[in-house]
Amino acid sequence: TLGGMAVHILDLVHWALDLGHPTTIEADSNPKGGYPESYPEWLTARWEYPSHGQFGPITVYWHDGGKKPESPPGVNLKEWGIGVLFVGDKGTIVADYGRRVLLPADKFKDFQAPPPSIPPSPGHHQEWLAACKTGSPTLCNFDYGGRLVENLLLSIVACRVKKRLEWAPVHLTATNCPEADPVIRKRYREGWSVG
């Protein structure tokens, strides 16, 4: 699901924490039948992001299939289906696109949510048409969406090579893992290169 659903689920994390490029990526899985190209029975991934702005270093984890995190006290994650956990020094937020729970509940019982700061989308098609007509960026334009997908796909590379990757985004290379190069970049036949 990293190539499909993770982009929608981890969008909440990337947007809220204004994440850029990770410095390291690692992942593991159990491919069905032992074939690395197959959909795994479970997959875990971990990205390390450097400090920026008001945030210290951030670690993001992904769990799917049979390996999921433990439910925090007060919430049964099995009832949520999909969602994210923000685990901080002062508490935890369990969220999806329609709800959020602050934990521990007694500590945040009087919490008042701030007013929305992102304008509601008129819908993907209307946003795209407005961008075509006016040149204005969409909410999830390529600068944002492309970077998010790159980060997710890097975990698939780490899973394939079974190594922690040290990522250099400007050069699109894992500096510590030359065996990842063929998975990151395709070698085209003479006369068919893209560039």
Side-chain angles (χ1 to χ4, degrees):
T1 32
L2 276 166
M5 285 306 295
V7 72
H8 302 289
I9 297 166
L10 289 180
D11 173 48
L12 289 170
V13 176
H14 279 253
W15 196 303
L17 300 175
D18 191 26
L19 296 178
H21 294 284
T23 52
T24 64
I25 307 99
E26 51 191 311
D28 195 17
S29 72
N30 182 21
K32 289 185 180 177
Y35 298 103
E37 298 82 11
S38 70
Y39 189 85
E41 294 175 9
W42 56 264
L43 188 141
T44 59
R46 176 182 170 172
W47 301 265
E48 296 280 343
Y49 292 88
S51 299
H52 68 284
Q54 63 181 338
F55 301 110
I58 296 169
T59 303
V60 175
Y61 297 91
W62 172 263
H63 303 265
D64 71 43
K67 285 200 174 184
K68 298 208 173 138
E70 293 292 321
S71 295
V75 171
N76 181 355
L77 294 180
K78 291 178 182 178
E79 294 173 356
W80 279 66
I82 62 169
V84 296
L85 293 171
F86 292 90
V87 180
D89 297 334
K90 299 178 182 176
T92 299
I93 301 173
V94 184
D96 62 16
Y97 281 99
R99 58 192 163 161
R100 67 185 170 277
V101 175
L102 281 71
L103 301 170
D106 59 333
K107 181 177 178 180
F108 296 104
K109 65 179 186 265
D110 296 325
F111 174 77
Q112 294 294 317
S117 60
I118 300 170
S121 170
H124 295 311
H125 295 108
Q126 291 303 315
E127 235 181 89
W128 182 78
L129 289 171
C132 291
K133 291 178 179 178
T134 67
S136 63
T138 59
L139 281 174
C140 290
N141 58 65
F142 188 77
D143 289 340
Y144 172 80
R147 184 177 59 243
L148 172 56
V149 170
E150 175 185 312
N151 294 351
L152 297 175
L153 294 179
L154 283 169
S155 60
I156 295 173
V157 174
C159 198
R160 290 269 179 97
V161 298
K162 300 293 184 203
K163 281 182 103 173
R164 178 177 172 266
L165 305 179
E166 294 174 7
W167 187 239
V170 174
H171 303 289
L172 294 176
T173 187
T175 57
N176 67 318
C177 187
E179 57 269 39
D181 288 348
V183 185
I184 295 169
R185 289 188 193 227
K186 183 174 182 162
R187 302 234 185 258
Y188 293 94
R189 291 185 318 222
E190 190 67 36
W192 294 94
S193 63
V194 176

